[in-house]
Amino acid sequence: MANLTRILRLRDAEIWAYEFLDNQDIIIYFSITDVNRKATIHDNPLATQEELDERDNYLSIDVHSNLDLKKMLEEDTFDDVITEISFLVEHMHDFHNAHVFMKMHVHDNIDLTDFQLEEDEDLHGDEKEQLYTFQRLWIQQTCFQMIEHHLNRKIKEISNSRFCQDLK
């Protein structure tokens, strides 16, 4: 079983956390970004030009994890993750006129130069808990940066202090 939690919702992007209830060591965040343009071969090298031309819009789904999910998960479990993410996207407003492509990003070599172990384990947890929190936040930040890259704007510029989910 898994738990899906929306972390961020903007007019053109969302970030979700995907958590396995029985395995807390796997970190998964994914973003759904409406790029507001037609898809190109650069966006999806697997698509034919005809497939790209059929749709007016491009939705990018970027899945970020600390593990290579395809290698580390059983095939059925991996398929369930992809199916749940796809099901979520299929129920979005502009899905039917969009070319959707999912990219997997594996962050198994996280730069730990900024990681600082806190001494107070009662407040911050033991070394394993602190390292997990650092990795989770690092992957989450990478997910935010992917949205900024796709939209070519900083998140703080996208969200102008209004509740973007209420915008139409």
Side-chain angles (χ1 to χ4, degrees):
M1 292 215 44
N3 184 36
L4 286 168
T5 306
R6 185 178 0 214
I7 305 299
L8 174 74
R9 182 176 180 189
L10 301 170
R11 184 177 56 231
D12 296 327
E14 295 185 5
I15 292 180
W16 291 77
Y18 188 106
E19 299 172 286
F20 288 103
L21 300 179
D22 59 346
N23 188 343
Q24 297 295 316
D25 293 332
I26 301 173
I27 302 167
I28 303 173
Y29 284 92
F30 65 94
S31 61
I32 305 165
T33 309
D34 182 347
V35 185
N36 291 309
R37 62 169 171 76
K38 286 181 100 43
T40 65
I41 291 292
H42 175 74
D43 298 319
N44 182 357
L46 304 175
T48 65
Q49 192 61 46
E50 182 181 336
E51 290 172 320
L52 297 173
D53 290 341
E54 287 177 348
R55 309 294 176 142
D56 291 334
N57 202 10
Y58 171 52
L59 293 180
S60 179
I61 304 171
D62 293 281
V63 180
H64 299 266
S65 181
N66 61 326
L67 303 170
D68 186 336
L69 299 174
K70 193 161 188 145
K71 289 181 182 176
M72 299 303 292
L73 299 175
E74 293 179 17
E75 186 176 345
D76 289 345
T77 305
F78 177 77
D79 289 345
D80 288 345
V81 170
I82 300 305
T83 299
E84 287 184 54
I85 293 171
S86 298
F87 183 75
L88 180 71
V89 173
E90 286 174 12
H91 287 85
M92 296 179 79
H93 177 65
D94 290 328
F95 168 75
H96 298 291
N97 196 24
H99 179 85
V100 180
F101 187 64
M102 188 178 303
K103 296 177 190 167
M104 306 295 282
H105 304 275
V106 180
H107 305 286
D108 57 358
N109 206 5
I110 295 173
D111 182 8
L112 298 176
T113 52
D114 291 334
F115 175 68
Q116 233 178 344
L117 186 64
E118 299 292 338
E119 291 183 24
D120 189 347
E121 288 188 7
D122 290 334
L123 183 60
H124 300 283
D126 63 16
E127 182 177 355
K128 183 180 176 183
E129 292 169 322
Q130 289 182 48
L131 184 57
Y132 173 81
T133 299
F134 179 82
Q135 290 174 325
R136 185 176 49 78
L137 292 173
W138 192 91
I139 291 171
Q140 185 182 54
Q141 180 61 35
T142 303
C143 205
F144 276 89
Q145 290 168 347
M146 182 65 66
I147 287 175
E148 291 175 336
H149 171 74
H150 282 312
L151 298 178
N152 202 24
R153 296 188 316 239
K154 295 287 186 195
I155 295 283
K156 64 184 177 185
E157 294 170 6
I158 297 168
S159 176
N160 58 4
S161 301
R162 294 187 292 178
F163 290 100
C164 292
Q165 63 265 32
D166 295 333
L167 297 177
K168 297 286 180 200

